[in-house]
Amino acid sequence: NAGVTQTPKFQVLKTGQSMTLQCAQDMNHNSMYWYRQDPGMGLRLIYYSASEGTTDKGEVPNGYNVSRLNKREFSLRLESAAPSQTSVYFCASNRRDPPHYFGPGTRLTVL
Amino acid sequence: GDSVTQMEGPVTLSEEAFLTINCTYTATGYPSLFWYVQYPGEGLQLLLKATKADDKGSNKGFEATYRKETTSFHLEKGSVQVSDSAVYFCALSEGVQGAQKLVFGQGTRLTINP
């Protein structure tokens, strides 16, 4: 099992550009999550999906959209990137409730 | 909302020293509590968990006890190794069953010197 995979690993964008971060899990988990990690702030929840076909906002959803494409995949889209979105993004999943299983992360820099 | 507070880092210790990383929480209900570890350049890995008061989670020599009376979940290890150098996150679960999320503390960077 690959667990939770994320692509890309690194990305540099210019302000105003758009991109989609991809996440997939092969553990047949129902719930999937997107977090961002910033120095000194721990991880903050952006969006989550408790089951296929549902998505909900987390603590810091502004500037992001998500799609739960199917049970395996949960993507995060930045429509118009801003320097404040420079961060490390982690996808996570679990069967129903925590603990989460995390992906390796995507390091995003917005210039 | 619910919140988690961890001791400020960074923490630097010598090998074989005793480790304590403090974690306290504020919650309206009875959350499950977790410690995660993040090694350089990697994602977070579950280290241990406790689901109810007085439960003790343990793994790889680390321990933490769910203390409802002090709303704490301090991480301890009797003798640390260089390989324990990492960032440690305390977290609690929040929300209704079937749609729970994690709320994280800010993380504590631990460095162990040989």
Side-chain angles (χ1 to χ4, degrees):
Chain A
N1 283 355
V4 180
T5 57
Q6 292 183 236
T7 56
K9 283 188 167 42
F10 301 93
Q11 184 71 48
V12 178
L13 294 177
K14 294 181 180 176
T15 297
Q17 287 185 318
S18 62
M19 80 161 295
T20 299
L21 281 64
Q22 307 285 356
C23 173
Q25 51 88 11
D26 62 0
M27 297 175 282
N28 200 34
H29 285 168
N30 294 317
S31 302
M32 298 186 73
Y33 308 79
W34 277 105
Y35 290 87
R36 59 178 288 172
Q37 182 181 23
D38 301 295
M41 300 187 75
L43 276 75
R44 293 180 292 168
L45 182 65
I46 304 171
Y47 271 93
Y48 67 103
S49 170
S51 61
E52 187 179 353
T54 69
T55 60
D56 286 286
K57 295 178 180 179
E59 182 185 352
V60 289
N62 291 346
Y64 305 95
N65 285 301
V66 290
S67 295
R68 183 75 182 267
L69 304 168
N70 48 54
K71 192 170 186 179
R72 289 188 63 247
E73 298 172 289
F74 188 40
S75 63
L76 178 72
R77 182 160 179 82
L78 287 70
E79 290 290 352
S80 179
S84 60
Q85 294 178 305
T86 293
S87 188
V88 181
Y89 292 85
F90 288 101
C91 179
S93 71
N94 46 246
R95 181 166 297 280
R96 189 164 176 258
D97 285 320
H100 294 343
Y101 294 82
F102 282 86
T106 295
R107 187 174 294 274
L108 175 66
T109 301
V110 183
L111 303 175
Chain B
D2 296 354
S3 65
V4 175
T5 302
Q6 290 181 232
M7 66 185 287
E8 291 283 333
V11 174
T12 303
L13 295 172
S14 297
E15 204 164 23
E16 299 183 2
F18 184 86
L19 168 70
T20 300
I21 300 178
N22 289 339
C23 171
T24 57
Y25 67 90
T26 303
T28 52
Y30 301 97
S32 295
L33 301 174
F34 307 86
W35 276 100
Y36 279 83
V37 59
Q38 184 181 32
Y39 299 104
E42 297 184 10
L44 279 71
Q45 302 174 25
L46 178 67
L47 182 59
L48 53 84
K49 67 175 184 178
T51 57
K52 60 184 187 298
D54 300 324
D55 267 3
K56 178 186 280 189
S58 61
N59 187 25
K60 299 181 182 179
F62 291 90
E63 292 184 339
T65 300
Y66 191 141
R67 301 281 188 205
K68 185 166 158 245
E69 62 277 9
T70 55
T71 62
S72 64
F73 193 54
H74 304 321
L75 183 68
E76 297 182 334
K77 187 175 185 182
S79 176
V80 292
Q81 306 300 313
V82 171
S83 57
D84 294 326
S85 298
V87 181
Y88 291 81
F89 293 92
C90 184
L92 61 78
S93 61
E94 177 185 66
V96 298
Q97 280 202 334
Q100 290 187 343
K101 312 172 286 286
L102 287 180
V103 175
F104 286 88
Q106 73 270 36
T108 302
R109 183 176 298 277
L110 173 66
T111 301
I112 307 300
N113 294 322

